[in-house]
């Protein structure tokens, strides 16, 4: 984290790390300081889903305009329901078409799902 100089990138990385570590309160505190965008809405939805807050989850999900993030939320729902294979299928279909940071994220997300299986 100390090597990341850009404040926005550092905050994004911190939110991702805190979410992965299930430190949702800390992640939400960082999200509240960010400007509205798909990243903020996606991670707000993920945290709400894991906390069981369906109302907040739906509110965040409605604000997401990026189909990749929306399908990742669908995959996350499958994972929480115990249907990891369906979630992996969603991510596999996307990996063929993604580039850059989204491709990197999808590959790591898929890897984390296969470790849990």
């Amino acid at each position: 984290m100390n090597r990341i100089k850009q404040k926005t990138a550092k905050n994004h990385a911190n939110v991702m790390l805190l979410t992965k570590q299930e430190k949702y309160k800390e992640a939400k505190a960082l999200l509240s300081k960010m400007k509205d965008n798909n990243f903020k809405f996606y991670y707000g939805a993920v945290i709400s889903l894991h906390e069981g807050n369906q109302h907040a989850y739906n509110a965040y999900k409605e604000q997401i305009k990026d189909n990749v993030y929306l399908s990742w939320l669908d995959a996350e729902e499958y994972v929480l329901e115990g249907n990891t294979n369906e979630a992996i299928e969603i991510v596999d279909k996307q990996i063929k078409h993604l580039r850059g940071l989204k491709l990197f994220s999808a590959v790591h997300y898929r890897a984390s799902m296969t470790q849990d299986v």
Side-chain angles (χ1 to χ4, degrees), residues 35-117:
K35 67 180 184 178
D36 289 351
N37 59 35
N38 282 319
F39 178 88
K40 178 180 179 175
F41 300 143
Y42 172 75
Y43 275 94
V46 168
I47 291 167
S48 298
L49 185 64
H50 283 271
E51 290 181 330
N53 186 342
Q54 192 66 38
H55 179 72
Y57 172 73
N58 291 335
Y60 279 117
K61 189 173 181 179
E62 288 176 6
Q63 297 180 73
I64 298 172
K65 305 296 181 216
D66 187 314
N67 288 331
V68 173
Y69 283 126
L70 288 171
S71 63
W72 287 352
L73 286 177
D74 292 338
E76 192 66 25
E77 286 181 40
Y78 280 126
V79 169
L80 289 176
E81 293 169 357
N83 299 320
T84 306
N85 291 332
E86 287 87 347
I88 290 171
E89 285 180 31
I90 289 172
V91 175
D92 281 346
K93 287 178 186 175
Q94 286 185 332
I95 285 176
K96 300 172 192 174
H97 306 288
L98 296 176
R99 296 201 185 319
L101 187 57
K102 284 184 181 175
L103 174 61
F104 181 74
S105 297
V107 168
H108 280 278
Y109 184 41
R110 187 192 190 289
S112 73
M113 284 189 282
T114 56
Q115 289 173 357
D116 297 338
V117 173

